[in-house]
Amino acid sequence: MGAAIYQIIAILIPISIILLVVWLIRSSIRKNKQLKNIEQKLTEIENNKTKDS
């Protein structure tokens, strides 16, 4: 019984580390896209203000 638990833990730890790395990369990419969108919108607003003035 103890060997089975050890094997399950030994398998779950590397899988969880891989999943964590994938999640961090996806999260970083998503945040980068959001920041680019915000920057683009701010640039558009800035351009509109300069045209109106």
Side-chain angles (χ1 to χ4, degrees):
M1 183 67 180
I5 293 173
Y6 174 76
Q7 287 180 341
I8 290 172
I9 292 172
I11 291 171
L12 287 178
I13 289 174
I15 290 174
S16 63
I17 290 172
I18 292 170
L19 290 175
L20 178 65
V21 169
V22 169
W23 178 78
L24 287 172
I25 291 171
R26 289 183 58 160
S27 175
S28 176
I29 291 171
R30 193 176 324 118
K31 286 180 182 180
N32 194 14
K33 285 181 181 179
Q34 283 181 335
L35 286 174
K36 284 184 180 180
N37 287 338
I38 291 171
E39 184 178 347
Q40 185 179 15
K41 287 178 184 180
L42 285 173
T43 304
E44 289 175 8
I45 291 171
E46 190 177 62
N47 289 339
N48 287 338
K49 280 191 173 186
T50 57
K51 286 180 183 179
D52 291 342
S53 296

